[in-house]
Amino acid sequence: MDNLKKHKPLAVLDDFRGKTFTGEYPTLPELFEITLKRFPDRKCYTDFDGPDGSKHTITYTEAYEKIITLSKWLAENGVAHGDRVAVTGKNGPEWAIVYLATLFAGGIICPIDYALKIEEQENLLSVAEPKILFADEEKFVQYEKKSTPYKLYSLNPKFPEKYAYNLKAEGEPEIQRPTENETAAILFTSGTTGNPKGVMLSHKNFVSDAFAAQTQMIVRETDIFYALLPLHHAYTMLAVFIEAFCLGAELVFGKSMVVSRIMKELKEGEITMLMGVPMLFNKFMQGIMKGIREKGIIVYGLIRFLMGVSYCIKKVFRVNPGKAMFKSILKKANLYTVRIAICGGGPLAKSVFKLYNEMGINFVQGYGLTETSPILTLNPLEHFKIESVGRYFSTVMQMKILNPDSEGVGEIVVKGPMVMQGYYKMPEETAKMYTEDGWFKTGDLGWIDKENYLMLSGRVKNMIVTEGGKNVYPEEIEDMFQLQTDIQQITVQGYIANEAKKQEELEALVYPSDDFFARLKCTRETADKTLVEAEIKKDVEDVNKNLLPYQRITRVTILEKPLEMTTTLKVKRNYKK
């Protein structure tokens, strides 16, 4: 805590205030230029798209040259101040250059989820109305066959005449730079069919949040960030992409969730800052614990004992002995270079959170929404709380609980410079998100302790009220299955157990894992359904033992196909009851 108290993230701006920028915060282009002046020769962007998957890196100076070149081309080719440019593609330097070049040209960037079907993307593009669309290889080919109202260009060198890096202006067009309160990006959170919501985030939204995050965690220009999750998502965009150039750190791009490729990039990229979502960290830890168990019961028992000792030392003395104690295990998992791992996009099970810290990895949780740029809380490394998603940035923003119940749980509401400008062309929808006195309603339920740490309970719209009037938060129950290797997906919902009394109880929709069928020595297709249900019910009952009576699952439904997931690996709750 002492180190954090001494840490003044905004102090790095003092030498540039009134010179490089004149507002309260620099814009994103101004922030990049500040970093360029501080660290012109530092590594900026790295990928593994060289010959035979080799590592390729460009410096901040080289990245800046590409950004300026493309920004001039954009301005010369119809992108005026406030115009939209869309980008859809896998993570990579080209994606980053297009994003920043658009802002340098005075435009607004509209990142589109690459995993969406072409028809779903077109629905979002019809709202954004971009002048230009940059697309990766697969989508570029699909769009090329269509008649579009926007010009089409490529993120891939396979199309040299349309390739972003090859686009150069013939003259020196006039460019009106953005100001801090103008929109930097429009991010689509949902509504891939029907009426999509585009969250408008300003330069000030992003930059204030990037510096606010540093009040809870000390990150350095020597850190190496890993962009594994999709960059179009606000979490990765801020915590990885923007945070990296805010500091002058290196950013390594991951393009695939294939484990072998992740392992290669973690090792060869020498990653120090690893951001992920619960499912990703669950898979890492399942692999680690499986390897330890394979060493035999005696070795497993000894390592688990040492992990407990490591954790106690870390909590009491605030030093981290686990990194040295479990060096060989962490090296085998290619996690030894990781200095900090941050989980966002949903709460992680307490047991998983604790296991990482026991193993010597500084592991913390954060919380936020796209509408808040997105980060609102982070767990400080020196004083983390396993049950919490972190402490809110009290020096920058306000947070409180609206209409708390007897246990202090209610809707989380916030005020601060990171709160969105509103939904694009949707003033009525925007108004619904605020209280009469101007607090932004997150739609999440939770409670705050005396040290400003936030504990999440679940989503307002997902809350189930039992016959006895008890509130049940399905996310809390689902979290208890995160290290359960028999279950790949579990989603808890309410069902009417007694029609006459309208009595609601809890049902679990379960999609078993491949490991589960391997253990039963059968395949998903040949498995005995009665046996499958019986075995899964055993797993559910093990969790039920640790739940209060009104929280217990009373019905299990085995799914033949997995439920649809978002690109941050969360189940979409659009199934039918």
Side-chain angles (χ1 to χ4, degrees):
M1 295 293 283
D2 292 337
N3 289 337
L4 272 181
K5 287 179 181 178
K6 297 174 186 175
H7 185 52
K8 306 292 182 185
L10 287 170
V12 300
L13 299 177
D14 290 344
D15 291 340
F16 304 94
R17 199 177 297 277
K19 302 170 188 175
T20 306
F21 74 101
T22 56
E24 182 182 0
Y25 291 95
T27 63
L28 290 169
E30 289 168 342
L31 184 61
F32 195 94
E33 288 177 330
I34 288 169
T35 296
L36 178 71
K37 290 174 182 177
R38 296 174 65 210
F39 308 111
D41 300 319
R42 282 198 61 79
K43 294 176 180 178
C44 182
Y45 296 139
T46 295
D47 64 14
F48 290 86
D49 287 344
D52 300 318
S54 61
K55 191 175 176 181
H56 176 256
T57 300
I58 60 175
T59 65
Y60 271 88
T61 297
E62 291 168 332
Y64 182 72
E65 289 170 354
K66 292 180 184 298
I67 291 165
I68 292 299
T69 298
L70 183 56
S71 70
K72 290 179 179 179
W73 180 90
L74 288 169
E76 195 173 75
N77 284 269
V79 177
H81 186 83
D83 282 342
R84 275 82 54 213
V85 172
V87 59
T88 182
K90 295 177 182 176
N91 293 356
E94 291 90 347
W95 192 101
I97 297 299
V98 167
Y99 185 109
L100 288 167
T102 299
L103 304 183
F104 270 83
I108 297 170
I109 191 70
C110 302
I112 305 294
D113 185 348
Y114 185 69
L116 295 177
K117 296 174 183 176
I118 198 89
E119 296 79 12
E120 295 172 326
Q121 287 194 347
E122 287 180 315
N123 192 41
L124 303 183
L125 291 168
S126 69
V127 175
E129 296 181 308
K131 288 286 185 72
I132 292 173
L133 168 65
F134 286 88
D136 217 334
E137 181 181 357
E138 179 191 350
K139 290 292 195 297
F140 179 86
V141 172
Q142 294 179 48
Y143 278 112
E144 214 176 19
K145 298 173 183 176
K146 292 175 171 284
S147 174
T148 62
Y150 35 81
K151 299 173 185 176
L152 178 65
Y153 290 89
S154 174
L155 298 176
N156 195 295
K158 289 184 179 179
F159 310 98
E161 293 183 2
K162 297 277 190 174
Y163 180 43
Y165 283 3
N166 293 341
L167 303 175
K168 295 177 174 59
E170 294 179 1
E172 289 291 329
E174 283 190 22
I175 293 176
Q176 182 185 344
R177 286 281 191 93
T179 61
E180 64 176 321
N181 291 312
E182 290 183 308
T183 303
I186 298 173
L187 308 185
F188 291 97
T189 61
S190 59
T192 53
T193 58
N195 200 13
K197 286 182 181 177
V199 177
M200 296 186 293
L201 297 175
S202 69
H203 292 264
K204 183 177 180 178
N205 287 153
F206 281 127
V207 177
S208 66
D209 204 41
F211 280 103
Q214 293 177 44
T215 65
Q216 302 290 53
M217 183 177 298
I218 298 175
V219 280
R220 315 179 180 102
E221 70 272 12
T222 51
D223 276 313
I224 301 174
F225 288 72
Y226 187 31
L228 178 59
L229 298 173
L231 281 165
H232 77 271
H233 192 275
Y235 169 42
T236 320
M237 188 181 298
L238 190 285
V240 182
F241 171 54
I242 292 174
E243 200 70 69
F245 75 76
C246 177
L247 296 159
E250 180 183 356
L251 174 56
V252 175
F253 294 97
K255 292 191 176 184
S256 170
M257 296 296 280
V258 175
V259 174
S260 59
R261 178 148 182 168
I262 294 173
M263 293 295 104
K264 169 187 167 70
E265 291 169 351
L266 282 171
K267 183 178 181 180
E268 295 182 18
E270 299 179 306
I271 306 301
T272 67
M273 298 293 295
L274 176 61
M275 279 73 169
V277 291
M279 183 176 286
L280 179 69
F281 286 117
N282 290 338
K283 286 185 179 295
F284 277 142
M285 187 51 67
Q286 286 171 3
I288 291 172
M289 298 310 293
K290 182 180 178 182
I292 295 173
R293 288 191 188 95
E294 288 173 352
K295 296 179 183 292
I297 188 67
I298 295 175
V299 174
Y300 175 76
L302 176 62
I303 290 175
R304 292 295 282 126
F305 170 75
L306 292 174
M307 287 169 67
V309 172
S310 166
Y311 184 77
C312 288
I313 293 172
K314 189 173 187 180
K315 284 294 285 182
V316 175
F317 299 103
R318 297 184 180 177
V319 294
N320 184 9
K323 201 71 178 281
M325 292 168 67
F326 306 111
K327 182 177 180 179
S328 62
I329 294 172
L330 294 174
K331 278 198 164 185
K332 189 174 181 181
N334 292 331
L335 294 174
Y336 183 69
T337 62
V338 174
R339 189 173 74 85
I340 302 173
I342 304 175
C343 184
L348 190 72
K350 296 174 189 175
S351 57
V352 185
F353 190 171
K354 187 176 181 182
L355 282 170
Y356 275 99
N357 279 290
E358 287 176 340
M359 293 294 297
I361 293 177
N362 290 319
F363 194 96
V364 299
Q365 291 199 79
Y367 162 75
L369 302 89
T370 302
E371 289 88 343
T372 58
S373 304
I375 308 174
L376 291 171
T377 72
L378 274 178
N379 248 311
L381 293 179
E382 297 171 326
H383 185 40
F384 64 87
K385 296 187 181 184
I386 274 189
E387 67 276 16
S388 172
V389 289
R391 187 172 60 188
Y392 73 83
F393 311 137
S394 57
T395 59
V396 181
M397 56 168 284
Q398 296 170 273
M399 177 182 286
K400 69 177 184 179
I401 302 301
L402 197 64
N403 302 320
D405 63 16
S406 59
E407 296 178 346
V409 175
E411 184 173 5
I412 303 156
V413 295
V414 298
K415 281 184 178 180
M418 64 285 293
V419 176
M420 68 170 182
Q421 296 176 306
Y423 294 121
Y424 186 56
K425 295 182 179 179
M426 299 179 75
E428 291 181 2
E429 289 295 324
T430 300
K432 291 176 185 177
M433 299 302 295
Y434 294 86
T435 63
E436 289 184 2
D437 53 350
W439 289 82
F440 175 78
K441 298 187 289 186
T442 66
D444 287 315
L445 294 161
W447 59 279
I448 302 170
D449 72 9
K450 293 179 181 179
E451 293 184 285
N452 292 334
Y453 284 77
L454 174 67
M455 269 57 67
L456 281 185
S457 298
R459 292 288 292 168
V460 171
K461 64 183 180 182
N462 296 337
M463 186 176 73
I464 300 164
V465 182
T466 67
E467 183 189 23
K470 296 288 187 179
N471 295 339
V472 178
Y473 310 107
E475 295 91 342
E476 288 184 340
I477 300 169
E478 292 160 5
D479 290 345
M480 300 184 74
F481 289 86
Q482 285 188 6
L483 274 186
Q484 174 54 260
T485 56
D486 282 354
I487 295 173
Q488 182 172 320
Q489 281 185 351
I490 182 164
T491 303
V492 175
Q493 63 180 15
Y495 77 99
I496 303 300
N498 187 315
E499 284 289 348
K501 295 182 179 180
K502 296 296 180 186
Q503 180 180 332
E504 190 169 24
E505 295 183 10
L506 300 183
E507 173 187 27
L509 306 179
V510 175
Y511 183 70
S513 67
D514 291 339
D515 286 346
F516 169 74
F517 292 105
R519 181 170 65 79
L520 294 184
K521 294 181 171 57
C522 63
T523 66
R524 200 177 294 274
E525 292 71 29
T526 62
D528 182 326
K529 291 184 179 180
T530 303
L531 177 61
V532 169
E533 188 170 336
E535 289 293 311
I536 293 294
K537 280 184 175 178
K538 288 180 186 177
D539 295 327
V540 171
E541 282 307 310
D542 286 342
V543 171
N544 271 345
K545 292 173 186 175
N546 298 311
L547 295 171
L548 295 170
Y550 66 86
Q551 294 177 310
R552 288 172 188 161
I553 295 165
T554 58
R555 188 167 83 179
V556 176
T557 298
I558 307 297
L559 302 174
E560 294 183 2
K561 294 181 179 180
L563 292 166
E564 188 180 0
M565 303 186 77
T566 68
T567 46
T568 50
L569 308 180
K570 290 189 291 186
V571 169
K572 291 184 178 181
R573 293 181 184 268
N574 56 0
Y575 47 82
K576 293 181 180 179
K577 291 188 178 183

